Amino acid sequence: MSPRVEQALKIALQNWSSMARADHEDSETAANAFEASFYRFIDAVREWVSGLEPPPETIEAFLELPMVQEMIDLLPAPLYLNFETEAELIVHNQLRVEEDKYD
């Protein structure tokens, strides 16, 4: 796995765990930290994909890449849908509008 993607994924997963363990007082802070780290992870994936020759042309081709399979294996099930949605944008070379990000 790309070192930058691996590090970003590791941080996002740590923040996911922290969010799950956060008490009521810390839940908003933990959720914000997770969200920011998740999008840094997605940005790292986007950068990695932009360097592929040739880049995947379909979501199916993207999801079959060995490095993507490694990422999927590490993602908790609730995050997979968000990852897949972002992967579609990456494959189509589109950026998510800030207000459209998950709340």
Side-chain angles (χ1 to χ4, degrees):
M1 189 178 306
S2 153
R4 182 166 183 254
V5 171
E6 184 175 16
Q7 181 64 21
L9 177 57
K10 179 180 175 183
I11 292 168
L13 292 174
Q14 288 170 345
N15 286 336
W16 173 260
S17 294
S18 294
M19 185 177 70
R21 291 188 313 267
D23 60 22
H24 182 69
E25 288 180 16
D26 297 328
S27 62
E28 184 176 354
T29 301
N32 289 338
F34 165 71
E35 181 181 30
S37 64
F38 179 77
Y39 286 107
R40 281 191 295 274
F41 161 61
I42 293 301
D43 288 343
V45 172
R46 181 181 300 281
E47 183 179 300
W48 169 72
V49 169
S50 72
L52 295 178
E53 287 298 328
E57 294 182 12
T58 65
I59 187 66
E60 292 80 11
F62 174 85
L63 294 174
E64 290 175 5
L65 293 170
M67 188 168 125
V68 173
Q69 284 295 309
E70 282 183 60
M71 289 182 255
I72 291 169
D73 289 344
L74 296 172
L75 287 173
L79 291 182
Y80 177 75
L81 182 59
N82 293 355
F83 177 76
E84 189 176 68
T85 299
E86 294 299 324
E88 287 185 46
L89 294 171
I90 290 169
V91 168
H92 297 297
N93 202 25
Q94 297 174 336
L95 296 174
R96 178 172 296 286
V97 178
E98 189 70 31
E99 63 263 9
D100 290 343
K101 289 185 177 179
Y102 309 101
D103 288 324

